[in-house]
Amino acid sequence: MAEDVSDAPAGFAKEQLKSLIERIERLEEEKKAIADDIKDVFAEAKANGFDVKALRTILKIRKEDADDRKEHEAIVDLYCQALGIFA
Amino acid sequence: MAEDVSDAPAGFAKEQLKSLIERIERLEEEKKAIADDIKDVFAEAKANGFDVKALRTILKIRKEDADDRKEHEAIVDLYCQALGIFA
Amino acid sequence: MAEDVSDAPAGFAKEQLKSLIERIERLEEEKKAIADDIKDVFAEAKANGFDVKALRTILKIRKEDADDRKEHEAIVDLYCQALGIFA
Amino acid sequence: MAEDVSDAPAGFAKEQLKSLIERIERLEEEKKAIADDIKDVFAEAKANGFDVKALRTILKIRKEDADDRKEHEAIVDLYCQALGIFA
DNA sequence: ACGTTATTTAAAAAGC
DNA sequence: GCTTTTTAAATAACGT
């Protein structure tokens, strides 16, 4: 669609492009603001004597645990498939 | 503070840790949601025939321009401060 | 060193550059050859009726388990640090 | 084959699975070792004053040239085949 | 401030 | 072909 402007109102694709770019830029600003908030929380934690590296590790582990839970549910099934066993 | 639990109510640091972890996890969820939104916009752009790689290039150029503008403004401010001029 | 050729035999840096490039290209060829071997094994597995996706999952889990083992050894310590407890 | 264990010695598919997994894990170790070697060469280049990013650009260009060459040769071969010419 | 390491993002590749 | 995964590159954080 975007490359075929011959049968479109003049500037249509251009407007659409502008809109897409601005939406993405807006979202990226929001994302950056949240990233900054996260940094602030880490800074606060550090100011209160917490070991930031340890906090990061805890967060990482909790994330992995959450991610793995779904995955591990599928493993037994997959092993069975892999072995040609009908569980 | 966190390492000195001797004069704090039992579990104080623990509660604070819990709070920090949860705040960060919440913010990271929000960040991820926005990242997903951005992906959606790129997908929409692609579906409308736009070249995603070209879009990224445009965004990058605009970002650099914006960064340059901020840098320029920062330098001007600095000079104004140095000169005692209130711009 | 590379940018200062004034006190070096003519073409020294050039030779060194050539050597570096060729070493990397050689290694990348070897890497590609091994990647191809891996693909062959998957193809063989598939030909023998194994579910390739399941195999990949098993490999992934085994890798994660191996990686996590060291990490999990450090977690208790880190939790303790994060909580200001001396384990 | 793997899914039909009815006429195979017990544990046959399992042994085959084990073998496949181990072969792949071995190959992936080798691949990783080579990737590490490549990193070492880049580190050495950097230590000798070379611009790593520029090196990567050179490698990319040479790779594209090589790919183009192969593609060209493939087309020539194809034409030769089509024309019954033995090149 | 530097250099190293970790994270995040973009490009490339592989499979369906 | 297109979509998901893998790999590479850029960026950013952290300690020194």
Side-chain angles (χ1 to χ4, degrees), chain A residues 7-68:
Chain A
D7 59 355
F12 175 64
K14 185 176 173 180
E15 282 310 309
Q16 201 179 9
L17 172 63
K18 194 161 174 277
S19 166
L20 288 165
I21 293 289
E22 283 170 0
R23 281 164 65 197
I24 291 167
E25 285 176 344
R26 179 87 213 299
L27 289 167
E28 283 183 345
E29 271 173 41
E30 289 177 30
K31 187 150 78 78
K32 191 185 181 310
I34 291 173
D36 289 344
D37 287 348
I38 292 171
K39 275 209 292 189
D40 289 345
V41 179
F42 277 116
E44 179 192 329
K46 188 176 185 178
N48 282 332
F50 287 99
D51 179 327
V52 170
K53 193 178 173 189
L55 289 179
R56 286 189 192 280
T57 299
I58 291 169
L59 287 161
K60 188 178 167 191
I61 298 304
R62 282 170 59 101
K63 189 173 187 305
E64 282 171 1
D65 286 352
D67 290 348
D68 286 351

Side-chain angles (χ1 to χ4, degrees), chain B residues 22-64:
Chain B
E22 284 170 0
R23 282 165 66 196
I24 292 168
E25 284 176 344
R26 179 88 213 298
L27 289 166
E28 283 182 345
E29 272 173 42
E30 290 177 29
K31 185 150 81 79
K32 190 184 183 308
I34 292 174
D36 289 344
D37 287 348
I38 292 171
K39 281 212 292 188
D40 289 346
V41 179
F42 276 116
E44 179 192 329
K46 186 178 183 180
N48 283 332
F50 288 98
D51 181 322
V52 169
K53 199 172 173 181
L55 289 179
R56 285 189 194 280
T57 300
I58 291 169
L59 288 162
K60 193 174 166 188
I61 290 168
R62 284 168 61 100
K63 189 173 188 305
E64 281 167 2

Side-chain angles (χ1 to χ4, degrees), chain C residues 26-40, chain D residues 27 31 34:
Chain C
R26 180 89 213 297
L27 288 166
E28 283 182 346
E29 271 174 43
E30 289 177 29
K31 187 151 78 79
K32 192 185 181 311
I34 291 173
D36 289 344
D37 288 347
I38 291 170
K39 277 210 291 190
D40 289 346
Chain D
L27 288 167
K31 186 150 80 78
I34 291 173

